[in-house]
């Protein structure tokens, strides 16, 4: 694309978020206007209007990317918004480029060059094109947005509102010129992924008074976004809204926010005011309202949930209400953390694209929503960061941590298992889910580079045990102040992951027809398997003898048949010794249920899944959770918040078990990438009497529904789209081929499957 625009900013310091405008007339003599296209981006975030009408409902444009090398732009058809005389107006916020990022208190890590960039192309009937671009001809002025930050919130003074700046003939009192900002337009690239939008609105469920006398509002659901307000009161009145995810002792539980203020302030005009703080977002269920004039009514407040625009494709439901609520918590946790990048949490002074979280969760995400474009966009940034970091895949993408003081307890920055393995696991998971090799073709060099980097870090014994590892992060037995102090040996975890990544890259090379790389990585994977067996396995017992090491060794296929049987029995034994409470952290949790199922202990997997005592997947549900927590005990049974400095009530990683639920409980999995062939194989258990699962695959909708009647008869019904076939496997192990259309089968259940 030929760029004529410049990045612009106000020529003089303003006391508010800048407004930028340009008035223009359509050129005459070219016939009718046939098309108008606006291309828009910023160092910061922008919203734009043409003649007072918004050009889009998109939010936080252009989002967060690896700004050093890649700045995305959005393009809009604005033909219907253009008049003979028009005004293009832009509001500029700090966003990720200029606002706070990370827990060190720093801001504007990418530089101080906040600015907007717009190019409007007007096409006429005779083929002529007129350009209106950001340049020195624009003017800038103050806005009603006195402060804006993603972590801290937004302050809006309604007394300063005057929308006449968006329309022709504006006098421009208090406005001045603009300056151009140094800018490399070769970084400009179109979005691959979707924009951020509003996706839900929630009404107030309850208004209460806390023990201290504060007014508290409960929306009934932990969400990510903001509160839209309608209020009238004396001019100059300040209404303050502070957000949090939970209550503690009846008061707003703000300690988990750490330094994030998560507070919006509204100064009233004296008339009826509406406020919507679109240059920030919060993770919250509750809000504390102070300064409200008169009686606060439920209809005065609406919670607006925002996130990247994603299409729901997977559904899951069972006969167990608690399990259904847990699954709904997984969905809400994902939506709240998929705000342009896949973040760890949406509320505290962090909200970073931690690679370990999405490495664990990608299969679940790819089933629940179509995330192909969303994660493909993020993977482009991963590749860029990696290329500029000697092949190292950082802890977060985009890697803003490289600008911050490196935490001493994180060791020297280098590749680390699970987190850096996202470079391999995520594209492979996307291929498995959607059957499109394009993502692997784009990412192959990144995938290979990661595995080669890890190979350079191996010890002389052939295992990966020499540099910093998160290991089985947030093992429930680790002390609150030391989440890395896990039972699982870090070398065992890292070497298992190194093997799995090498095997995936070999398989990827095979799919892409890259025979030399296929052989290279197959040999490397085999060497890692041999080293793992030699250094860590003794008769099926894996070093550190805990649930996570067995889960990884079994699911990744590191053990011989005899050793795998021993390991499976030991895993089931350890689960029983723990009272069927969870004993795994980030490394083991995504895989433990599959490891048990693979080794004939599906009944134990069900007991883990349905356990309600802490730590367990259902314990937070019994405590009223509406999203997945960061820690198994983010809230203690007595209602107090975990004493650790780091805890969040919206962290999707530990919800990765939903992938097993879809495949094993629901009975729907892929026999070929993209569900070109499917396996219908429900494995009932845990006293469940029914389950229903469906998925909009690239080939059409696949659905599975099963039930158990009072006589113990199991009935399964499946429906496949045209062009898709597969296998139906009953709980007894009996199999038969199935084709497109609807199929039903019934059978007596094995006696081991109980019904409650």
């Amino acid at each position: 694309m030929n760029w004529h625009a410049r990045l612009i900013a106000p020529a003089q310091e303003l006391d508010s978020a800048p407004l930028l405008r340009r008035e223009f007339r359509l050129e005459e003599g070219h016939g009718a206007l046939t098309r108008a296209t606006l291309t828009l981006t910023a160092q910061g975030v922008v919203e734009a209007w043409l003649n007072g009408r918004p050009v889009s409902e998109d939010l936080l444009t252009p989002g967060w990317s690896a700004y050093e090398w890649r700045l995305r732009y959005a393009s809009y058809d604005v033909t219907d918004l253009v008049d003979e005389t028009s005004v293009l107006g832009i509001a500029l916020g700090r966003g990720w480029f200029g606002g706070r990022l990370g827990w060190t208190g720093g801001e504007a890590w990418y530089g101080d060059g906040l600015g907007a960039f717009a190019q409007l192309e007007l096409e006429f009937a005779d083929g002529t094109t007129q350009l209106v671009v950001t340049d020195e001809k624009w003017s800038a002025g103050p806005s009603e947005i006195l402060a804006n930050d993603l972590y801290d919130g937004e302050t809006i003074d309604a007394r300063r509102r005057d929308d006449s700046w968006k329309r022709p003939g504006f006098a421009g009192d208090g406005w001045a010129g603009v300056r151009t900002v140094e800018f490399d337009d070769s970084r400009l690239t179109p979005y691959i992924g979707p924009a951020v939008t509003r996706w839900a609105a929630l009404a107030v469920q309850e208004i209460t008074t806390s023990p201290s006398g504060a007014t508290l509002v409960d929306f009934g659901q932990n969400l990510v976004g903001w509160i839209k307000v309608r209020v009238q009161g004396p001019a100059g009145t300040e209404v303050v809204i502070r957000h949090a995810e939970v209550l503690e002792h009846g008061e707003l539980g703000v300690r988990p926010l750490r330094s994030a203020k998560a507070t919006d302030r509204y100064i009233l005009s004296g008339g009826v005011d509406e406020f919507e703080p679109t240059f920030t977002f919060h993770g919250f269920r509750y809000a504390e309202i102070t300064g409200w004039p008169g009686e606060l009514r439920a209809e005065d407040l609406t919670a607006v949930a925002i996130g990247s625009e994603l299409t729901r494709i997977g559904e899951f439901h069972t006969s167990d209400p608690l399990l259904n609520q847990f699954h709904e918590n997984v969905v809400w946790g994902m939506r709240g953390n998929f705000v342009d990048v896949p973040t760890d949490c949406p509320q505290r002074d962090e909200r970073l694209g931690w690679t370990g979280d999405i490495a664990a969760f990608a299969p679940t995400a790819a089933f629940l929503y179509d995330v192909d474009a969303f994660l493909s966009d993020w993977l482009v940034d991963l590749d860029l960061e990696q290329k500029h970091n000697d092949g190292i895949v950082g802890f977060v993408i985009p890697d803003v941590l490289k600008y911050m003081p490196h935490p001493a307890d994180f060791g020297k920055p280098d590749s680390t298992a699970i987190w850096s393995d996202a470079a391999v696991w995520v594209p492979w998971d996307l291929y498995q889910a959607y059957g499109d090799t394009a993502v692997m073709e784009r990412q192959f060099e990144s995938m290979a580079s990661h595995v080669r980097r890890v190979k350079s870090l191996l010890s002389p014994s052939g295992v990966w045990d020499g540099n910093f590892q998160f290991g089985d992060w947030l093992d429930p037995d680790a002390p609150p102040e030391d989440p890395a102090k896990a039972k699982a040996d870090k070398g065992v975890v890292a070497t298992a992951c190194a093997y799995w990544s090498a095997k995936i890259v070999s398989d990827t090379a095979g799919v892409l027809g890259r025979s030399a790389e296929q052989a290279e990585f197959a040999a490397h994977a085999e060497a890692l398997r041999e080293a793992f067996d030699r250094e860590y396995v003794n008769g099926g017992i894996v070093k550190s003898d805990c649930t996570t090491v067995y889960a990884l060794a079994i699911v990744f296929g590191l053990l011989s048949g005899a050793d795998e049987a021993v390991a499976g029995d030991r895993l089931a034994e350890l689960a029983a010794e723990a009272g069927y409470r969870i004993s795994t952290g980030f490394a083991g949790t995504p895989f433990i249920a599959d490891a048990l199922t693979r080794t004939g202990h599906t009944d134990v997997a069900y007991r883990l899944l349905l356990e309600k005592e802490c730590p367990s997947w259902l314990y937070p549900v019994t405590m009223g959770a509406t999203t997945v927590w960061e820690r198994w005990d983010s809230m203690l049974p007595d209602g107090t918040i975990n004493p650790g400095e780091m805890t969040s009530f919206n962290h999707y990683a530990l919800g990765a078990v939903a992938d097993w639920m879809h495949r094993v409980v629901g009975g729907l999995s892929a026999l070929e990438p993209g569900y070109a062939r499917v396996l219908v194989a429900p494995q009932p258990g845990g006293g469940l009497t029914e389950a229903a699962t469906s998925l909009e695959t690239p080939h059409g909708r696949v659905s599975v529904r099963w039930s158990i009647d009072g006589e113990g008869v199991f009935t399964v019904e499946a429906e496949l789209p045209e062009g898709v076939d597969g296998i139906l496997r009953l709980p007894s192990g009996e199999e038969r081929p199935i084709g497109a259309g609807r199929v039903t089968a019934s059978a007596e259940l094995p006696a081991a499957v109980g019904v409650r």
Side-chain angles (χ1 to χ4, degrees):
M1 191 165 182
N2 292 322
W3 299 113
H4 300 275
R6 305 285 299 277
L7 190 74
I8 63 170
Q12 60 188 36
E13 194 73 25
L14 297 174
D15 63 353
S16 57
L19 302 176
L20 306 163
R21 76 185 298 273
R22 171 74 193 280
E23 188 168 330
F24 64 93
R25 288 184 57 82
L26 293 181
E27 294 178 358
E28 298 178 351
H30 303 302
L33 179 71
T34 57
R35 184 175 179 84
T37 304
L38 176 66
T39 301
L40 188 66
T41 191
Q43 291 187 163
V45 291
V46 286
E47 294 175 359
W49 298 264
L50 257 171
N51 298 315
R53 292 165 287 184
V55 303
S56 168
E57 294 300 315
D58 293 355
L59 302 165
L60 301 170
T61 303
W64 187 13
S65 56
Y67 294 130
E68 302 93 338
W69 311 287
R70 178 171 176 256
L71 180 64
R72 296 172 300 181
Y73 60 80
S75 294
Y76 306 107
D77 182 345
V78 295
T79 310
D80 294 340
L81 302 181
V82 178
D83 297 329
E84 289 297 319
T85 300
S86 296
V87 172
L88 177 56
I90 297 173
L92 175 63
R94 301 171 73 200
W96 293 274
F97 188 95
R100 291 181 60 197
L101 286 175
W103 56 87
T104 64
E107 60 183 43
W109 296 105
Y110 294 99
D112 57 3
L114 215 62
F117 182 100
Q119 183 158 307
L120 175 61
E121 301 187 11
L122 304 159
E123 302 172 34
F124 295 92
D126 68 354
T128 301
T129 298
Q130 176 185 350
L131 292 177
V132 178
V133 301
T134 45
D135 56 20
E136 294 89 342
K137 298 175 184 177
W138 285 56
S139 57
S143 72
E144 70 268 25
I145 303 174
L146 305 185
N148 70 99
D149 186 85
L150 298 180
Y151 289 6
D152 293 336
E154 197 163 325
T155 299
I156 303 175
D157 187 345
R159 298 172 300 181
R160 299 174 57 145
R161 281 182 174 158
D162 180 4
D163 283 347
S164 62
W165 73 277
K166 299 176 182 176
R167 295 185 289 273
F170 175 63
D173 293 339
W175 284 56
V178 299
R179 59 183 175 86
T180 59
V181 178
E182 185 177 345
F183 181 69
D184 177 10
D185 61 21
S186 68
R187 294 183 295 134
L188 292 174
T189 181
Y191 271 79
I192 297 172
V196 176
T197 61
R198 301 168 181 84
W199 70 274
L202 288 79
V204 171
Q205 298 299 304
E206 188 178 25
I207 300 175
T208 58
T209 302
S210 76
S212 69
T215 299
L216 300 177
V217 176
D218 178 8
F219 288 96
Q221 171 66 52
N222 196 12
L223 69 133
V224 175
W226 52 70
I227 299 173
K228 185 177 181 180
V229 173
R230 182 179 175 86
V231 59
Q232 183 172 13
T237 301
E238 183 175 82
V239 175
V240 180
I241 302 181
R242 194 177 190 191
H243 305 75
E245 296 182 297
V246 295
L247 301 181
E248 185 176 32
H249 306 306
E251 304 289 349
L252 204 66
V254 296
R255 182 171 59 83
L257 300 176
R258 298 192 302 215
S259 68
K261 295 183 177 66
T263 300
D264 296 325
R265 300 175 183 274
Y266 303 132
I267 302 168
L268 310 189
S269 69
V272 177
D273 294 316
E274 288 193 358
F275 297 96
E276 193 169 4
T278 56
F279 283 164
T280 190
F281 63 85
H282 312 290
F284 69 100
R285 171 177 170 171
Y286 300 93
E288 179 184 291
I289 314 289
T290 57
W292 191 273
E295 179 187 0
L296 176 64
R297 303 170 302 169
E299 57 266 32
D300 296 328
L301 307 173
T302 303
V304 178
I306 71 164
S308 291
E309 190 171 22
L310 303 173
T311 300
R312 182 78 183 265
I313 58 174
E315 301 284 349
F316 176 84
H317 186 83
T318 75
S319 56
D320 189 317
L322 288 181
L323 194 58
N324 295 338
Q325 182 62 55
F326 169 73
H327 191 267
E328 188 70 3
N329 293 0
V330 174
V331 172
W332 275 90
M334 172 184 167
R335 286 306 308 259
N337 279 291
F338 277 39
V339 181
D340 203 61
V341 299
T343 55
D344 58 326
C345 62
Q347 71 300 95
R348 67 178 178 235
D349 55 358
E350 194 164 343
R351 314 184 196 188
L352 306 177
W354 286 91
T355 45
D357 296 62
I358 194 60
F361 191 75
T364 299
F367 185 97
L368 293 174
Y369 288 87
D370 181 352
V371 296
D372 196 10
F374 175 86
L375 289 177
S376 293
D377 199 310
W378 179 79
L379 284 167
V380 171
D381 288 323
L382 183 149
D383 180 36
L384 285 168
E385 296 279 11
Q386 181 185 15
K387 283 176 177 173
H388 290 86
N389 194 24
D390 197 25
I392 299 170
V393 178
F395 302 157
V396 302
I397 302 294
D399 189 9
V400 70
L401 294 185
K402 62 180 177 280
Y403 297 119
M404 303 178 190
H406 190 70
D409 52 352
F410 281 4
K412 179 184 176 183
D414 213 321
S415 297
T416 186
I418 303 173
W419 278 251
S420 300
D421 287 312
V424 174
W425 298 4
V426 174
W428 180 254
D429 290 335
L430 292 178
Y431 169 62
Q432 295 301 313
Y434 308 121
D436 186 356
T437 60
V439 65
M440 298 195 303
E441 291 166 351
R442 285 195 305 269
Q443 298 298 132
F444 185 78
E445 292 306 323
S446 166
M447 298 168 77
S449 177
H450 164 63
V451 173
R452 290 171 179 144
R453 175 76 195 184
V454 170
K455 186 177 182 180
S456 75
L457 299 174
L458 300 181
S459 297
S461 60
V463 297
W464 189 11
D465 63 354
N467 64 293
F468 168 80
Q469 297 289 345
F470 288 104
D472 196 25
W473 183 256
L474 286 171
D475 178 331
D477 295 318
E481 70 279 1
D482 191 358
K485 193 174 183 180
K487 300 181 292 294
D489 181 88
K490 291 182 179 179
V492 175
V493 170
T495 307
C497 292
Y499 166 79
W500 188 235
S501 285
K503 183 178 185 304
I504 288 174
V505 175
S506 176
D507 291 345
T508 299
V511 172
L512 299 180
R514 305 177 73 133
S515 55
E517 288 98 334
Q518 182 181 14
E520 173 194 349
F521 292 107
H524 179 46
E526 178 57 22
L528 282 163
R529 190 197 63 77
E530 291 173 357
F532 185 92
D533 182 70
R534 182 177 61 250
E535 298 295 320
Y536 297 138
V537 183
N538 184 5
I541 301 302
V542 180
K543 183 179 179 180
S544 63
D545 190 34
C546 64
T547 49
T548 285
V549 296
Y550 291 112
L552 297 178
I554 292 167
V555 172
F556 292 171
L558 280 156
L559 305 175
S560 67
D563 282 352
E564 183 175 289
V566 172
D569 289 344
R570 180 58 179 154
L571 176 59
E573 184 179 28
L574 288 169
E577 288 176 1
Y580 301 101
R581 299 181 189 183
I582 285 292
S583 55
T584 51
F586 266 42
T589 295
F591 304 107
I592 186 169
D594 269 308
L596 288 164
T597 295
R598 176 166 167 163
T599 53
H601 300 287
T602 301
D603 58 329
V604 177
Y606 267 105
R607 291 196 67 171
L608 281 174
L609 178 67
L610 298 173
E611 176 59 45
K612 300 179 186 65
E613 296 297 319
C614 184
S616 68
W617 281 294
L618 294 188
Y619 163 72
V621 180
T622 68
M623 295 291 288
T626 60
T627 42
V628 176
W629 295 349
E630 179 175 19
R631 295 178 184 261
W632 300 106
D633 59 349
S634 285
M635 179 168 283
L636 305 181
D638 65 0
T640 59
I641 296 170
N642 187 291
E645 179 185 338
M646 180 196 74
T647 196
S648 140
F649 293 87
N650 194 352
H651 237 81
Y652 56 70
L654 298 180
V657 71
D659 175 50
W660 178 86
M661 291 161 59
H662 301 147
R663 291 181 288 102
V664 177
V665 181
L668 173 55
S669 58
L671 287 172
E672 292 181 7
Y675 296 81
R677 298 187 70 236
V678 300
L679 174 64
V680 176
Q683 299 185 49
L688 301 182
T689 57
E690 63 179 52
T693 311
S694 66
L695 179 67
E696 293 290 343
T697 78
H699 309 282
R701 186 174 185 269
V702 178
S703 65
V704 180
R705 180 183 296 273
W706 62 263
S707 62
I708 303 171
D709 68 17
E711 303 301 316
V713 175
F714 170 84
T715 300
V716 60
E717 179 182 287
E719 189 164 6
L720 278 58
E722 285 297 321
V724 173
D725 62 16
I727 293 173
L728 170 64
R729 181 185 301 151
L730 296 174
S732 63
E734 176 190 346
E735 291 186 356
R736 61 168 159 152
I738 55 175
R742 182 172 296 179
V743 62
T744 302
S746 296
E748 292 283 342
L749 275 180
V753 179
V755 180
R756 63 182 181 202

